[in-house]
């Protein structure tokens, strides 16, 4: 099962277009994380306390991710990072590691096929590098691996269709994920 965690502010923008192109003809679940509410993260690592409940939308999304084989993070590059909504979801992983109901969280996440699709307009093949590193380290902390990334260059609506390199990589992923 493929799950896309989409963090863009434009549901029909270049990031969404490149991601849908990548998955054309494949079965996947699209989750627009901007439509979900994430409360501030509770850091209980140094307390005698465990997370026992979530009072936002996080649990339903992490349960979906845990059922998935492939997880694709898709985000425009905002200030050299992924979107705030996608980052808020990832920040909640800290809570999950302190939740007894998810005692096997890290081992389950370690076997996911994690991938990243980024689109930016200001030299993203250079300026998205911190974002790639951020995602790589986040996944590695759980014992997993970021299996790949696609960086698209687009500024105005529809510009992604001009990025031949990103489209070629998207086709490669489509063939690989379709096997």
């Amino acid at each position: 099962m493929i799950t896309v965690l989409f963090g863009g502010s434009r549901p029909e923008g270049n990031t969404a277009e490149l991601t849908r192109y990548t998955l054309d003809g494949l079965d996947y679940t699209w989750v627009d994380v901007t439509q979900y509410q994430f409360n501030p993260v509770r850091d209980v690592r140094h307390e005698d306390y465990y997370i026992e409940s979530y009072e936002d939308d996080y649990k339903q999304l992490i349960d979906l991710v845990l059922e998935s084989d492939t997880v694709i993070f898709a985000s425009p590059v905002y200030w050299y990072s992924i979107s705030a909504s996608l980052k808020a979801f990832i920040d909640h992983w800290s809570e999950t590691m302190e939740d007894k109901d998810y005692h096997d969280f890290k081992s389950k996440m370690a076997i996911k096929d994690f991938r990243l699709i980024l689109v930016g307009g200001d030299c993203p093949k250079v300026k998205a590098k911190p974002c790639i590193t951020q995602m790589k380290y986040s996944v590695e902390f759980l014992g997993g691996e970021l299996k790949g990334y696609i960086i698209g260059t687009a500024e105005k609506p529809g510009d992604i269709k001009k990025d031949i390199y990103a489209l070629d990589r998207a086709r490669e992923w489509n063939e690989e994920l379709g096997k």
Side-chain angles (χ1 to χ4, degrees):
M1 180 168 109
I2 300 171
T3 298
V4 174
L5 298 175
F6 174 73
S9 59
R10 291 185 295 129
E12 303 303 322
N14 287 301
T15 304
E17 188 172 350
L18 179 59
T19 305
R20 287 188 178 105
Y21 181 80
T22 301
L23 298 171
D24 185 49
L26 302 177
D27 186 28
Y28 61 91
T29 301
W30 184 275
V31 178
D32 183 344
V33 295
T34 68
Q35 301 302 306
Y36 292 82
Q37 174 64 41
F38 302 111
N39 292 335
V41 173
R42 300 163 291 174
D43 185 353
V44 299
R45 292 172 298 156
H46 307 291
E47 300 174 27
D48 190 24
Y49 174 78
Y50 291 94
I51 300 295
E52 295 179 351
S53 66
Y54 300 89
E55 297 175 8
D56 59 12
D57 298 325
Y58 174 73
K59 186 175 179 352
Q60 72 183 82
L61 291 187
I62 196 59
D63 288 346
L64 176 65
V65 166
L66 288 169
E67 293 173 13
S68 303
D69 302 306
T70 299
V71 178
I72 298 175
F73 302 104
S75 177
V77 179
Y78 291 130
W79 292 100
Y80 317 102
S81 185
I82 57 175
S83 68
S85 54
L86 193 52
K87 177 71 167 73
F89 172 76
I90 292 168
D91 284 348
H92 275 70
W93 292 354
S94 298
E95 289 183 341
T96 310
M97 290 188 295
E98 299 299 326
D99 184 331
K100 290 179 181 179
D101 289 339
Y102 293 93
H103 64 279
D104 55 355
F105 176 67
K106 286 177 79 170
S107 63
K108 283 186 173 182
M109 293 291 273
I111 60 172
K112 304 290 175 209
D113 177 2
F114 286 109
R115 295 167 186 248
L116 176 64
I117 295 177
L118 300 168
V119 177
D122 182 21
C123 304
K125 289 180 177 48
V126 173
K127 294 183 177 180
K129 297 281 185 189
C131 181
I132 294 163
T133 303
Q134 170 192 25
M135 295 303 294
K136 179 180 179 294
Y137 288 160
S138 295
V139 170
E140 285 177 356
F141 185 82
L142 300 176
E145 176 186 359
L146 184 63
K147 300 278 172 73
Y149 59 85
I150 299 173
I151 303 173
T153 302
E155 194 163 319
K156 296 177 185 163
D159 275 357
I160 197 62
K161 294 175 189 166
K162 299 175 190 173
D163 187 338
I164 302 304
Y165 178 77
L167 296 175
D168 284 347
R169 292 282 294 134
R171 277 191 291 275
E172 290 171 12
W173 277 22
N174 184 281
E175 291 175 17
E176 190 178 318
L177 292 168
K179 292 181 182 177

